[in-house]
Amino acid sequence: MICASRLSTAFISFAVLAGSYATAKAADFIVIDARRVALRVGQTVDSTKPLTLKEGQQITLISPTGATIKLDGPYDKAPDAEQ
């Protein structure tokens, strides 16, 4: 009985950790610079959704881990693909 209880606890712990990783992976990036684009500094961008920039547009994003990502148009993919 004790072994089943430990196995159950281990499974629950694994599920919580896996859920935390999935949440962090889909985190938003924050715009820290935007030029010729309809995004504002401080605005969030979903890291998993495509972002389209035309020629001459550029943005700089910061990830939840502190990584800085500079994107210049033309660009048409999810910012998460840049990491």
Side-chain angles (χ1 to χ4, degrees):
M1 196 59 119
I2 292 173
C3 186
S5 176
R6 287 185 182 167
L7 183 60
S8 177
T9 301
F11 178 75
I12 290 170
S13 297
F14 175 76
V16 168
L17 287 173
S20 296
Y21 174 76
T23 301
K25 186 68 177 161
D28 290 339
F29 292 157
I30 299 174
V31 177
I32 58 172
D33 187 38
R35 298 181 187 183
R36 299 184 201 123
V37 66
L39 294 170
R40 297 178 316 278
V41 172
Q43 188 172 346
T44 58
V45 173
D46 186 331
S47 65
T48 62
K49 294 188 178 176
L51 180 64
T52 303
L53 299 174
K54 296 178 183 176
E55 184 72 37
Q57 294 179 322
Q58 60 183 219
I59 62 170
T60 305
L61 306 169
I62 190 162
S63 75
T65 63
T68 302
I69 303 165
K70 185 175 180 180
L71 305 174
D72 296 308
Y75 182 88
D76 191 22
K77 59 185 171 181
D80 192 39
E82 292 298 308
Q83 288 195 324

